[in-house]
Amino acid sequence: MPQTADAPITEDKLHIEALASMGVPRTYRRGALLIQEGDTGDTLFVVLKGRLRAYLADASGRELTLGVFGAMEYVGEMALDGGPRSANVEALEATVCSVVSRATLLQYIAQHPEFALQLMARLIRRARLATESARSVALIDVYGRLVLLLEKLAMPANEHGHRALRERLTHQQMAHHLACSREMISRLLKDLENGGYIAVRDRWIHLLKPLPSRW
């Protein structure tokens, strides 16, 4: 199941801030492509403000979101091996990043070897998320993937037992998360709304009762 990016853990926050201070700040407009799959890259992007989305796309234009990254998170660490980029990365909104060269990153790791362990742990977490994403796309139908996404994004229930989502996603964004068409998402959400399972208020989805395991 594609998920939001892993939040920086407390012990590596200082390292990320230090790396960001060594890079060059750049501003990207919404929709700007920072990384293109297949290109050779040698830079790390630390988000200072805004959000980035990492995704895969096929020849037909269908997309699969791998993660969304906010302030003090980074993308592009795969540039460490000097190989081609493994995914696309775009700005979801106006975003400011600190662009850190591969040489600077390697120098920082040499000076702070403990950061290498934290970087490795993050790579492992992201690899596990990617594996889970591939498994859900291959083995779970679209409705099942939608339920997993809604449950993941749902906040704790209020006094009425209703759970709002943590963020407002468009149908197209959900389709990108689930590797399906926007029309399929719209139909499933409308069916759930008609069945009294969800309510949409100001384009914000609220879960009113447990979602059925099958539809």
Side-chain angles (χ1 to χ4, degrees):
M1 177 68 232
Q3 304 187 31
T4 53
D6 47 321
I9 54 180
T10 302
E11 52 266 36
D12 74 356
K13 183 177 179 181
L14 292 178
H15 286 299
I16 297 173
E17 290 175 344
L19 269 176
S21 70
M22 300 168 68
V24 178
R26 292 181 183 169
T27 300
Y28 301 91
R29 59 175 176 77
R30 178 183 177 184
L33 194 64
L34 285 71
I35 295 175
Q36 186 165 4
E37 182 182 0
D39 285 353
T40 300
D42 62 354
T43 49
L44 179 82
F45 297 84
V46 181
V47 181
L48 303 179
K49 180 181 179 182
R51 292 187 303 158
L52 301 177
R53 177 175 76 104
Y55 68 96
L56 300 174
D58 61 20
S60 66
R62 189 174 64 172
E63 297 179 0
L64 173 63
T65 296
L66 300 176
V68 176
F69 304 84
M72 286 297 106
E73 294 182 300
Y74 55 82
V75 298
E77 69 276 10
M78 303 294 261
L80 273 172
D81 68 356
R85 298 293 196 179
S86 59
N88 304 293
V89 176
E90 69 169 357
L92 283 177
E93 55 196 66
T95 300
V96 180
C97 291
S98 174
V99 182
V100 181
S101 70
R102 179 172 179 266
T104 299
L105 175 59
L106 290 174
Q107 180 183 10
Y108 186 84
I109 290 174
Q111 296 171 347
H112 304 275
E114 70 278 9
F115 180 62
L117 295 176
Q118 295 167 9
L119 181 63
M120 185 186 306
R122 182 171 299 231
L123 285 169
I124 291 171
R125 288 198 301 274
R126 291 185 180 175
R128 286 176 174 164
L129 287 178
T131 300
E132 185 60 30
S133 296
R135 179 184 294 115
S136 68
V137 169
L139 302 179
I140 305 175
D141 63 16
V142 174
Y143 175 73
R145 301 202 298 272
L146 176 62
V147 169
L148 289 176
L149 178 64
L150 294 177
E151 291 290 350
K152 174 180 171 54
L153 293 176
M155 294 188 292
N158 62 18
E159 65 273 17
H160 304 294
H162 299 171
R163 295 178 294 159
L165 300 192
R166 288 197 303 273
E167 58 182 296
R168 183 166 57 189
L169 294 178
T170 66
H171 292 189
Q172 187 63 67
Q173 288 171 323
M174 289 186 180
H176 287 163
H177 274 287
L178 305 180
C180 66
S181 68
R182 180 182 59 80
E183 291 75 17
M184 174 66 76
I185 294 297
S186 298
R187 180 176 67 79
L188 288 173
L189 290 176
K190 178 55 69 175
D191 287 347
L192 288 173
E193 189 174 10
N194 290 339
Y197 291 97
I198 69 172
V200 181
R201 302 163 184 158
D202 192 25
R203 295 185 295 167
W204 211 289
I205 296 176
H206 299 254
L207 309 186
L208 305 182
K209 54 185 179 182
L211 301 175
S213 58
R214 292 186 174 274
W215 195 257

